[in-house]
Amino acid sequence: MNQTSQTLEQAMAALRAQQLQEAERLSASVLLRDRGNAAAAQVLGTSLLLQSRPKDAVDALQGVARRSADPAVETLLARSLAAAGRRDEAFDQLRRATGRRPPYPLAFLELGEGLGAAGRLDEGVAVLEAGLALTPKADGLRIALGYLQLKRNDRSRARRLFQEVRAAAPRRQDAMVGLAKVLALDGEYAQAADLYRRALILRPDDAGARISLGKCLLEMDERDTGEAAIRAASQQAAQLAGPAISALAATAHGRFFLRPSAALTFLRAEAG
C-alpha cells in the first residue's frame, strides 16, 4: 500500500471514529498530493459538514466535483450547498448528479426529497419516478416516493408503494411507519397500531411513531394506553411536546387543555 492509500485509510478510520479534525487533516493532505481524489474529497467534505462548516465543505468539494464528475462527490457538494443556504445551486448540482451513468440513487433521493420539502411536489415525484425507472430495486426511492404521494393525498398510490417495500423487506422500519400512516388516514386504526408497535420494536427511539401509535389507540377508544404512549413519547423527545398536545386534542376520545401549562403538567406526569 502506497503512502496516499495508507493516509486515506487512516482518514476514513478517523471519520468512522468521529475524530473529525484528524479526518479533515489527513484527507486534506491526500488532496494536496492528488487533487482529483474523489474518496479523499468525500471524507473531507463529510468531516467539515459534521463540524457545521458547510461553506468550507463547498470550497473543498467544488474543484473535485468538476474534475471527477463523480456523482457521490456531486451529491455531497449539493448537501453542503443546501446547508450553506444555497438551495437552488444545490438542486442544480443534484440534477447534474442524476444525469451520471451508471445511475446514483442517492442523488435522485436527495433531489426528490429536497423538491418535495420546497413544496414542489410534482417535480419531486417526477425525479423519484425517474430514479426508480433506472434502479427498480432502490427501495429508498420507493419509500420517499410514497411519502411524497402522501403529501399529495394520493393515499392509494402511497399504500401500494409501501406495500411493495414491505413485501421485499418485511422488517424495513420506515416502510412500516409509512404504511401505518396510510392505514390511519384511511381509518384502519387497529392495523395501523399493529404496524406502529412492530416499528417501535425495531426502533424504540422513534418518538414520532410512538405519538402516532397513541393517536391510533385513542381513536380506538383505548384512552389509557393511548395517553400513556403519547406521554412517553413527549418525555422521550422534549421537542415533541407540541405534536403530543395536538395528538391528544385531535381525536374524539382525546383531551383538550385550556392552558398550555396544564397540558405540559399532564405530559410530564409518570406514564402508566
Side-chain angles (χ1 to χ4, degrees):
M1 182 182 295
N2 61 36
Q3 183 181 0
T4 296
S5 298
Q6 185 176 10
T7 305
L8 182 55
E9 287 287 340
Q10 292 170 346
M12 291 177 174
L15 183 60
R16 287 193 295 270
Q18 294 292 298
Q19 297 170 356
L20 301 180
Q21 292 180 346
E22 181 68 359
E24 175 189 350
R25 183 185 70 80
L26 291 167
S27 56
S29 72
V30 172
L31 285 170
L32 283 175
R33 295 192 294 271
D34 180 4
R35 293 192 304 161
N37 192 308
Q42 289 180 69
V43 173
L44 178 57
T46 302
S47 65
L48 291 168
L49 274 180
L50 290 173
Q51 294 177 72
S52 300
R53 294 163 57 191
K55 293 181 180 178
D56 291 339
V58 169
D59 292 340
L61 292 166
Q62 279 181 323
V64 181
R66 282 194 301 269
R67 282 187 288 271
S68 69
D70 185 307
V73 176
E74 291 175 324
T75 300
L76 184 58
L77 172 58
R79 197 177 304 149
S80 304
L81 287 164
R86 298 159 63 178
R87 188 177 66 178
D88 289 342
E89 292 176 71
F91 287 160
D92 289 342
Q93 188 66 57
L94 285 169
R95 288 189 181 92
R96 281 191 284 275
T98 58
R100 307 299 182 197
R101 297 295 179 270
Y104 185 62
L106 185 58
F108 288 92
L109 179 65
E110 297 212 3
L111 179 56
E113 288 186 331
L115 290 167
R120 297 158 63 174
L121 299 180
D122 290 346
E123 292 178 69
V125 165
V127 166
L128 293 171
E129 287 178 339
L132 271 175
L134 292 167
T135 55
K137 294 184 179 180
D139 282 341
L141 296 180
R142 191 167 277 105
I143 288 171
L145 181 57
Y147 278 105
L148 282 195
Q149 297 291 13
L150 264 185
K151 283 189 175 184
R152 298 169 86 200
N153 202 33
D154 188 346
R155 297 204 292 272
S156 62
R157 176 64 173 144
R159 182 187 288 240
R160 286 196 301 273
L161 288 160
F162 293 131
Q163 286 173 332
E164 288 171 6
V165 178
R166 291 268 295 140
R171 288 179 59 81
R172 182 147 182 167
Q173 197 263 3
D174 49 0
M176 286 185 194
V177 170
L179 182 55
K181 287 179 183 293
V182 178
L183 292 168
L185 287 169
D186 286 342
E188 299 172 49
Y189 299 116
Q191 293 118 302
D194 180 60
L195 276 180
Y196 280 127
R197 288 190 183 100
R198 295 186 196 183
L200 285 163
I201 291 171
L202 295 173
R203 271 196 56 195
D205 62 335
D206 189 342
R210 200 172 297 279
I211 285 179
S212 296
L213 169 61
K215 288 177 67 175
C216 288
L217 294 170
L218 288 175
E219 292 287 3
M220 295 160 62
D221 200 17
E222 296 184 19
R223 185 165 182 168
D224 290 344
T225 51
E227 288 180 348
I230 292 172
R231 185 186 286 119
S234 70
Q235 294 175 358
Q236 183 178 349
Q239 71 273 19
L240 292 181
I245 293 169
S246 298
L248 287 168
T251 71
H253 303 289
R255 290 178 183 264
F256 179 76
F257 297 91
L258 293 176
R259 299 190 312 277
S261 59
L264 291 174
T265 297
F266 175 82
L267 291 174
R268 290 169 184 158
E270 287 298 320

